[in-house]
Amino acid sequence: MAGNRGRGRSQFTFNVDTLRFGRGDSLPTSAHTPSPLFPPMQFRPVPLHTGEEVDYMLALKQELRASSKNLPFHIKAARTKTDVARYSDKYQNGEPKYNCIEWSPDWSRMPKELCIKVQKTRKTGAKPQLTQKPKVAARKEEVLQKLETLEKREQEQHSEEEEDEEKKKQNEEEEEEPDEDYDEEELEDETDYIISYFDNGEDFGADSDDNMDEAVC
Amino acid sequence: MTAQEVRLCGLLLQEHFGDVVEKVGTHLIRSGVLTLRALAHETKLPLDLVKKSLCVLMQHGMCAFGAGRRGPAGPVEYHIICEHILHMLRYPRYIYTAKSLYGDTGELIVEEILQRGQMTMSSTVKTVADRLTHNMPEGQSMDYSEVVSAFSRLVETHFLQRCPPMASAGSSSSEAVNTPLPVVTQPTKPEDHPECYRLPYINLTGQGKRRRSSEDGEAEQRAAKKTKTDNSERGDEGIYWQVNFQRFHLHFRDQAIISAVSCKLDQTSSEIVRTMLRMSEVTTPAHAAFTQALSANEIFRALPFSYNIARPILDQYLTLLVNDPMEFVGRTGDSGGGMYVVNLHRALANLARATLESVVQERFGSRSARIFRLLLRKRHLEQKQVEDFAMVPAKEAKDMLYTLLSENLVQLQEIPKTPDYAPSRTFYLYTVNQLPTARLLLQHCYKTVGNLIERRLYETKENKRLLEKSQQIEAILASLQATGAEAAQLTEVEEMITAPERQQLESLQHHINKLDSSENQVDETIFLLESYINSTQAPP
């Protein structure tokens, strides 16, 4: 077999007859590129079925698709935060909350580890004030330190008010942090006194250094 | 799970449940079995989101959990059941079947349960009654008892079944030792439980409530609170119902056989086969190769009244059916005027073969189809024999065979004459194996549906701006009409969409309809091929 190599130019290893192409025919050209992505079709496809049944199922399919987007099973990922925190973010309710589930499955049929602790939603009235209180307290502490280095008279007056505020806020913060299942009534009882006593306007006005000097005067 | 199936599952999950569930689902399909922590770590999603997605998937029966590799003391492991995700393609067909069998009530019941995964009987009845009342004219409302009767009929014919009861899944409770979690590899089938089809006793009386559009938000909140308290009063809490997909599939299979018979023979023969299948519905197990044997006398008695055929004519029809090469009906005995069975597996194989042949015909032409059919019948043929039997000139036969070979529809079998496979001394035989070819075509179908969905998403995305604009204008129109505006204002708003935009919208809608319709039609082929492949596998 090895001896045949080189003798007889166009000799193939397979029996040419069985493959039915003669010696003169050229072999099919080899492919240089991958086959095209959308090769031209030899035959056109058969048209789709038509009829009442087909139309009804089409309508059903589109309805199912549309309604499944409104069901609580459709989970949307949160929008990625843009570079700057905007004022309007606070008022947009579209943010999905991760820590609650909008429908309640039967937890006895699912493993316990999947149960998400649901946080009771507070009324929106209490929310801005609660978020403001820690910020206000922090600012208050900075201001206190600044005031201590400045005039003592203003410091005494303010510190009286601020100590009251601080004590109450510290109490609230301690109550807030560990357990968020507290009833909103309890917190509101705690904060009622402060809500009426301290207005937002006064707090805002009193924060900046410059204004405080003038307001006291 | 093949790559095409995973891709299709991902697209379906994304369409119905959003990106998050799609990410969790596809990762879990690819990994097989995972614990919650591993899944959250690998997908890099927040733990709460992963928990929510798993809840959604389990609610719809697409994900199951079981004791992990470390036994009941270790963390729970989750795995995905891919077939249930692929069934989402077929939801319109299930709903349409329920409508044709049990009317609008049945249709809405099945639709509600499909969309919500699992539901209790009382909540289903209430929701469906409310929906029906909403569509009825003013003053009428749907009584709960009608909905309950439709529900009972669905359960009696096994189209709905109870969800299998779960063993308590708490890993910290002391009862975990006594009630072991189901092992991951052997899921409990719903039919293993004897009470699978038993209706619970509920005292549910009343009528559907019509929801006024003005009290939408509050009414829903109140209704939500009410359902929590009501469920415990109705007496069927903890009993959830799901759609029995297998029963629907058996029904579709019967429909396919009946329509094949009516196409090949005539209407009367198809009625006879329909009667035979109806009689053996409840007695034939799901994976049986043929139905129970029925005598000709029984068939004659069970024929519907409209078909007033004489007894000897029935015998002739049965003989015709038995002698037909498609072998739908077989004769197994002589007692009772002749015992006849419907050959289910053989019918499925023949239907799959017809599908393959038609695919080859439509893609490669009728002469290639002739060669393909020849190879199916004669099993192994040499090239020369193919040319002779198919009566096709040599060059063209060679071309067609090579095209089919490159598409993997035809295989080459080598039979050597000598121990070294010298090409000049080897027989090369062309052959077609039906089962592997059917699997190949099934994967092509999955890929096709995936492509159709992606194209539809692309079309929608391209014209997103236009679609949003048209939706806004529709909303404006609706609100104007509700507040009673004049015709001039309405036309002014309508003209906000220009004529070329309107044309573009129409053509977009036309394309989307076509793509959706194609998906439904490819799904029919998928169903046939899947049934055939499942019938060849040994029953679990």
Side-chain angles (χ1 to χ4, degrees):
Chain A
M1 281 183 300
N4 272 348
R5 232 173 261 170
R7 302 231 190 125
R9 256 161 257 152
S10 55
Q11 246 186 16
F12 299 109
T13 53
F14 38 83
N15 193 353
V16 178
D17 276 338
T18 54
L19 287 175
R20 318 298 279 172
F21 73 102
R23 293 166 134 241
D25 295 348
S26 54
L27 286 168
T29 53
S30 54
H32 294 286
T33 55
S35 50
L37 197 54
F38 295 108
M41 287 200 310
Q42 244 182 328
F43 300 92
R44 301 229 54 170
V46 180
L48 291 170
H49 292 164
T50 50
E52 191 193 311
E53 189 179 319
V54 172
D55 291 335
Y56 193 79
M57 285 212 274
L58 173 67
L60 267 176
K61 190 182 173 83
Q62 289 176 337
E63 255 180 56
L64 274 177
R65 203 165 51 222
S67 57
S68 69
K69 297 223 171 7
N70 297 331
L71 283 176
F73 305 119
H74 193 98
I75 301 178
K76 303 185 219 337
R79 272 193 302 268
T80 51
K81 290 209 160 46
T82 49
D83 42 2
V84 179
R86 296 177 193 273
Y87 179 77
S88 61
D89 284 347
K90 192 166 64 170
Y91 294 103
Q92 278 176 354
N93 291 329
E95 291 286 330
K97 298 187 184 41
Y98 291 169
N99 50 12
C100 69
I101 196 162
E102 289 91 358
W103 52 285
S104 54
D106 189 358
W107 293 115
S108 63
R109 294 176 62 84
M110 303 216 187
K112 284 220 168 44
E113 59 181 8
L114 289 185
C115 186
I116 300 172
K117 284 200 176 26
V118 179
Q119 295 182 347
K120 283 201 188 139
T121 53
R122 302 191 187 84
K123 287 187 195 155
T124 48
K127 211 178 170 197
Q129 293 187 345
L130 290 170
T131 49
Q132 275 180 34
K133 289 291 183 328
K135 290 184 206 161
V136 172
R139 266 183 262 148
K140 284 285 174 196
E141 286 169 18
E142 282 176 34
V143 163
L144 270 179
Q145 283 171 5
K146 282 184 195 166
L147 283 173
E148 275 175 6
T149 60
L150 293 174
E151 299 175 23
K152 281 192 179 176
R153 183 171 52 110
E154 292 160 4
Q155 192 189 353
E156 276 175 52
Q157 280 189 14
H158 280 284
S159 64
E160 276 177 68
E161 301 170 25
E162 281 149 9
E163 269 167 37
D164 287 341
E165 257 185 45
E166 266 188 53
K167 276 186 207 159
K168 297 221 162 60
K169 276 169 214 154
Q170 276 168 13
N171 288 338
E172 286 159 41
E173 279 169 43
E174 282 164 34
E175 285 163 354
E176 265 179 275
E177 278 151 30
D179 211 340
E180 292 166 334
D181 281 340
Y182 264 176
D183 271 343
E184 42 192 40
E185 284 101 49
E186 274 184 71
L187 282 168
E188 276 185 51
D189 282 339
E190 292 288 332
T191 58
D192 261 347
Y193 180 71
I194 295 183
I195 289 174
S196 58
Y197 192 68
F198 286 104
D199 243 350
N200 274 344
E202 283 181 358
D203 283 346
F204 275 122
D207 275 349
S208 59
D209 285 341
D210 298 332
N211 287 343
M212 238 189 301
D213 287 335
E214 292 168 31
V216 170
C217 298
Chain B
M1 277 296 114
T2 65
Q4 296 303 332
E5 285 176 31
V6 175
R7 174 180 168 232
L8 182 55
C9 288
L11 285 168
L12 287 170
L13 284 176
Q14 186 184 30
E15 225 175 34
H16 283 90
F17 302 128
D19 292 319
V20 178
V21 178
E22 184 249 331
K23 205 163 167 195
V24 170
T26 40
H27 189 83
L28 197 49
I29 299 177
R30 289 209 173 98
S31 324
V33 184
L34 277 181
T35 58
L36 176 62
R37 294 254 160 226
L39 187 58
H41 175 72
E42 286 172 27
T43 50
K44 299 190 179 31
L45 288 169
L47 192 63
D48 279 337
L49 269 187
V50 177
K51 285 187 192 174
K52 273 211 256 188
S53 321
L54 283 174
C55 286
V56 167
L57 287 171
M58 289 212 291
Q59 172 78 10
H60 283 81
M62 296 168 191
C63 173
F65 65 96
R69 280 161 278 202
R70 297 204 210 131
V76 176
E77 290 190 342
Y78 304 90
H79 62 281
I80 295 264
I81 305 172
C82 265
E83 292 91 38
H84 287 197
I85 304 184
L86 293 173
H87 288 162
M88 277 208 275
L89 265 181
R90 222 166 281 154
Y91 280 4
R93 201 169 169 195
Y94 298 139
I95 300 173
Y96 183 75
T97 309
K99 182 190 171 91
S100 59
L101 290 174
Y102 296 107
D104 283 338
T105 324
E107 175 198 5
L108 283 180
I109 292 176
V110 170
E111 187 180 330
E112 281 296 315
I113 298 186
L114 276 175
Q115 279 207 304
R116 306 222 168 228
Q118 313 167 349
M119 278 178 96
T120 58
M121 182 167 169
S122 39
S123 50
T124 318
V125 167
K126 272 195 227 129
T127 329
V128 171
D130 288 344
R131 274 181 77 171
L132 284 168
T133 313
H134 196 65
N135 293 334
M136 281 172 152
E138 283 282 341
Q140 291 181 20
S141 64
M142 189 69 170
D143 202 29
Y144 282 175
S145 57
E146 284 181 46
V147 185
V148 169
S149 72
F151 195 99
S152 333
R153 267 179 296 159
L154 277 167
V155 172
E156 274 160 19
T157 43
H158 293 358
F159 281 110
L160 293 176
Q161 64 188 180
R162 282 202 200 188
C163 299
M166 296 281 177
S168 77
S171 51
S172 52
S173 64
S174 57
E175 300 167 15
V177 180
N178 296 331
T179 54
L181 292 168
V183 181
V184 171
T185 49
Q186 292 159 18
T188 55
K189 280 192 300 197
E191 263 106 18
D192 292 344
H193 304 277
E195 301 196 339
C196 186
Y197 300 110
R198 191 168 68 85
L199 281 166
Y201 174 69
I202 55 172
N203 51 344
L204 197 63
T205 50
Q207 296 180 328
K209 297 187 187 27
R210 187 181 298 275
R211 200 177 66 197
R212 310 276 166 214
S213 51
S214 53
E215 8 164 299
D216 253 337
E218 292 172 11
E220 273 178 23
Q221 279 183 20
R222 267 187 275 125
K225 285 186 195 156
K226 262 193 188 167
T227 47
K228 283 182 203 153
T229 49
D230 276 352
N231 263 345
S232 49
E233 296 167 6
R234 295 304 171 195
D236 72 336
E237 73 275 1
I239 303 177
Y240 292 91
W241 296 86
Q242 65 187 13
V243 170
N244 184 2
F245 294 119
Q246 203 182 51
R247 177 71 182 89
F248 273 105
H249 293 167
L250 294 179
H251 181 86
F252 294 156
R253 177 198 69 188
D254 294 347
Q255 267 185 335
I257 295 178
I258 292 167
S259 67
V261 172
S262 88
C263 282
K264 184 117 197 272
L265 299 173
D266 75 336
Q267 180 72 9
T268 318
S269 342
S270 78
E271 278 305 316
I272 295 173
V273 174
R274 190 199 299 266
T275 315
M276 289 174 75
L277 284 168
R278 200 182 56 229
M279 285 162 68
S280 44
E281 237 171 25
V282 275
T283 49
T284 314
H287 299 279
F290 16 81
T291 60
Q292 297 280 58
L294 299 163
S295 70
N297 297 332
E298 284 174 359
I299 300 175
F300 183 64
R301 273 198 297 269
L303 274 178
F305 285 136
S306 47
Y307 280 89
N308 231 346
I309 55 177
R311 184 56 204 275
I313 310 258
L314 171 70
D315 286 336
Q316 281 181 352
Y317 267 113
L318 285 167
T319 322
L320 253 177
L321 280 165
V322 167
N323 291 335
D324 188 71
M326 289 290 254
E327 288 183 337
F328 287 121
V329 176
R331 189 184 168 116
T332 56
D334 293 321
S335 61
M339 301 294 277
Y340 296 93
V341 289
V342 178
N343 295 321
L344 297 165
H345 283 193
R346 217 169 297 167
L348 277 175
N350 285 332
L351 286 171
R353 184 166 54 83
T355 312
L356 295 180
E357 287 169 10
S358 119
V359 165
V360 172
Q361 179 166 340
E362 295 304 329
R363 280 188 73 185
F364 302 108
S366 54
R367 288 206 275 188
S368 302
R370 203 179 329 150
I371 293 178
F372 188 79
R373 272 198 293 269
L374 189 68
L375 285 170
L376 267 174
R377 286 189 72 173
K378 301 264 186 180
R379 309 291 172 87
H380 296 273
L381 286 176
E382 272 188 340
Q383 180 155 357
K384 182 152 189 341
Q385 288 174 308
V386 167
E387 291 160 23
D388 291 340
F389 282 128
M391 294 181 286
V392 174
K395 267 215 170 73
E396 292 173 25
K398 181 184 64 160
D399 255 338
M400 289 175 193
L401 271 172
Y402 286 172
T403 320
L404 288 174
L405 192 63
S406 69
E407 298 282 337
N408 247 329
L409 292 163
V410 158
Q411 280 87 42
L412 208 51
Q413 171 79 38
E414 298 168 351
I415 305 202
K417 292 188 224 175
T418 54
D420 59 344
Y421 277 62
S424 56
R425 290 188 287 276
T426 317
F427 287 119
Y428 290 98
L429 299 175
Y430 291 98
T431 180
V432 175
N433 291 323
Q434 190 170 334
L435 185 55
T437 315
R439 282 185 204 269
L440 172 76
L441 225 58
L442 183 60
Q443 295 306 313
H444 280 329
C445 288
Y446 288 141
K447 186 172 178 184
T448 309
V449 180
N451 289 350
L452 286 167
I453 296 178
E454 286 209 10
R455 179 71 198 204
R456 174 163 47 81
L457 291 173
Y458 169 79
E459 294 265 330
T460 321
K461 202 168 72 155
E462 283 283 299
N463 297 299
K464 198 166 124 173
R465 190 198 69 87
L466 194 57
L467 277 171
E468 277 173 7
K469 180 175 173 184
S470 80
Q471 275 170 4
Q472 280 171 359
I473 292 192
E474 272 175 30
I476 297 174
L477 270 176
S479 66
L480 276 182
Q481 273 175 348
T483 55
E486 336 166 319
Q489 275 182 317
L490 290 176
T491 45
E492 200 185 305
V493 171
E494 273 173 11
E495 274 165 22
M496 280 165 65
I497 305 187
T498 61
E501 279 183 347
R502 215 179 277 276
Q503 237 180 5
Q504 208 180 341
L505 267 175
E506 266 176 35
S507 82
L508 171 69
Q509 190 60 37
H510 177 71
H511 288 161
I512 291 185
N513 284 352
K514 219 169 182 173
L515 291 167
D516 273 331
S517 227
S518 318
E519 277 177 46
N520 284 344
Q521 204 167 320
V522 176
D523 178 64
E524 290 178 21
T525 314
I526 288 179
F527 170 70
L528 257 179
L529 293 172
E530 267 181 1
S531 310
Y532 164 59
I533 292 172
N534 289 340
S535 75
T536 55
Q537 291 170 340

